[in-house]
Amino acid sequence: SAGVSARSETDTDLTISSDDVLGPKSEQMVNVCGTDEPMTIPEAMEDLRRALEVLKKANDTDEPWQHPRELLDATAGALDEAALAVRADRSPDPAARAEINDLSKQVKAARQTLIEASAEGNIDTTAMQEYSNGVKERNGTPLIVWASQTGTSRKFAAELRKNLSGSDGKQAVDAINMKKLTLKDVASRKRVYFITSTFGLGRPPRDAEFFFATLQLQQHSSDYNRSSAGRLLKGVQIAVAALGNSKFGDFAAFGFALAQELQLHGARPIMPVFTVNALHGRVDQRADFRQWQEEVLQLQGRTVRSGGKGTPSAGSAGNSCCTIL
């Protein structure tokens, strides 16, 4: 079998700590707009070539086994750096642009091949099926999931959690970074709210890489497709706030992709994907988010405690996408 052959994994129960998730001990935010200069086009192309080599070795049975999700995470940076390099290049060479685009496509294709070839038996679905089949009762505490490259989604998640906790702050609300999330965590909840940005050319932020790869790997598992396709998240209600900037062609693309993958697993959207646009700056972006937040609070029977609802940016109201009926 290939070097990325099947290996089972047991999902663990979700333990959420307010200090670990949204408190002062939270992870350091990745700064993609700091003093570090983006790679040059030649440097980014070399990074893509190394990523291709890593992915090719994954299929070599003489090489040490690596978990496919680790390989996907390890090669994500090359795609992200390539996107940043292209955007930062002020005097683009058409030939170099064509070459880096071709290399990016090769890396994406190799990653997709890895997903399709290595999903067999990747996750034990037994516990999740107990929720979708009604054997176990789902947790009614709302779960907020955030994924961010610069920290904006994390801040919005903290605000939503504060408002959902009620005027007395005693209503139970859980929140977690998507990098710590498992499919079982989602399957065990009645309602999950996702707040996520898009990075690079329509790709997930690094926080989301691991979980999104899990969704894709599981989707391609033959055991999953034979026995439980579209059922693991059956009965789970979801809502997605997709952050982005509409000056880019891949505006909020990952939020839509995430919603589609979750629905392929059986989750049901309780509102269309809502875009939170940074085109006109942070004030309008926050106003967009607060419009989405107001709808979430109404669904949960809460009211905004402070700040109120902002006026949304023109054209940024929630866009319906990928609803699978």
Side-chain angles (χ1 to χ4, degrees):
S1 60
V4 292
S5 58
R7 188 165 298 192
S8 62
E9 172 186 293
T10 302
D11 287 333
T12 57
D13 289 332
L14 180 64
T15 302
I16 299 177
S17 162
S18 58
D19 285 340
D20 291 340
V21 179
L22 290 173
K25 297 179 182 179
S26 296
E27 61 161 350
Q28 295 282 329
M29 289 295 101
V30 178
N31 181 10
V32 297
C33 301
T35 56
D36 291 341
E37 293 293 326
M39 285 186 176
T40 64
I41 294 288
E43 290 171 338
M45 288 194 292
E46 184 59 32
D47 223 27
L48 288 168
R49 293 188 186 100
R50 284 195 292 267
L52 272 176
E53 187 63 27
V54 167
L55 291 165
K56 288 177 182 177
K57 284 183 178 180
N59 287 308
D60 186 344
T61 55
D62 293 329
E63 294 289 331
W65 186 88
Q66 285 185 267
H67 197 292
R69 285 184 293 175
E70 293 174 356
L71 290 166
L72 290 169
D73 189 53
T75 55
L79 290 170
D80 294 338
E81 290 292 347
L84 292 174
V86 168
R87 285 179 178 171
D89 190 14
R90 300 303 181 194
S91 55
D93 175 355
R97 282 288 185 97
E99 185 174 358
I100 197 170
N101 286 335
D102 181 64
L103 283 168
S104 294
K105 288 178 181 178
Q106 290 183 52
V107 171
K108 289 178 182 178
R111 283 160 56 89
Q112 186 61 34
T113 298
L114 173 68
I115 288 170
E116 294 173 1
S118 63
E120 188 77 34
N122 184 54
I123 296 175
D124 180 5
T125 62
T126 304
M128 288 180 276
Q129 288 171 342
E130 290 179 343
Y131 291 109
S132 61
N133 294 334
V135 176
K136 285 187 177 180
E137 184 177 354
R138 286 192 162 95
N139 187 338
T141 301
L143 175 63
I144 302 167
V145 179
W146 57 273
S148 183
Q149 198 78 15
T150 60
T152 302
S153 294
R154 174 186 176 274
K155 292 175 183 176
F156 286 160
E159 180 178 326
L160 177 60
R161 187 185 195 188
K162 179 181 178 182
N163 283 316
L164 280 177
S165 66
S167 58
D168 58 3
K170 295 181 179 180
Q171 299 294 324
V173 183
D174 291 328
I176 190 171
N177 188 330
M178 199 180 296
K179 75 176 185 179
K180 299 179 180 179
L181 190 70
T182 68
L183 265 176
K184 182 181 176 182
D185 299 332
V186 180
S188 66
R189 299 286 172 146
K190 291 182 178 180
R191 188 170 288 176
V192 185
Y193 298 105
F194 292 88
I195 305 171
T196 183
S197 61
T198 293
F199 188 66
L201 301 178
R203 288 187 22 77
R206 297 306 295 272
D207 288 349
E209 187 76 41
F210 198 73
F211 178 72
F212 192 62
T214 299
L215 286 174
Q216 293 177 301
L217 287 165
Q218 191 61 21
Q219 181 66 24
H220 286 87
S221 165
S222 61
D223 284 345
Y224 175 74
N225 286 323
R226 280 196 299 266
S227 63
S228 58
R231 289 192 57 81
L232 288 186
L233 302 183
K234 181 182 178 182
V236 178
Q237 299 177 341
I238 62 166
V240 178
L243 278 62
N245 190 319
S246 60
K247 75 177 180 180
F248 299 119
D250 297 295
F251 171 49
F254 175 65
F256 290 107
L258 175 65
Q260 183 176 34
E261 285 290 336
L262 290 166
Q263 289 175 67
L264 287 171
H265 286 271
R268 182 174 70 84
I270 51 177
M271 65 175 77
V273 174
F274 193 99
T275 55
V276 180
N277 196 351
L279 178 64
H280 300 296
R282 293 184 181 276
V283 173
D284 280 3
Q285 183 186 40
R286 182 173 293 277
D288 280 2
F289 171 75
R290 285 182 172 171
Q291 183 182 6
W292 180 78
Q293 179 179 235
E294 178 73 5
E295 294 186 33
V296 171
L297 293 171
Q298 289 175 359
L299 283 168
Q300 294 293 146
R302 311 281 200 274
T303 55
V304 177
R305 288 191 293 164
S306 61
K309 183 178 75 171
T311 302
S313 302
S316 66
N319 297 316
S320 180
C321 167
C322 317
T323 300
I324 300 171
L325 301 177

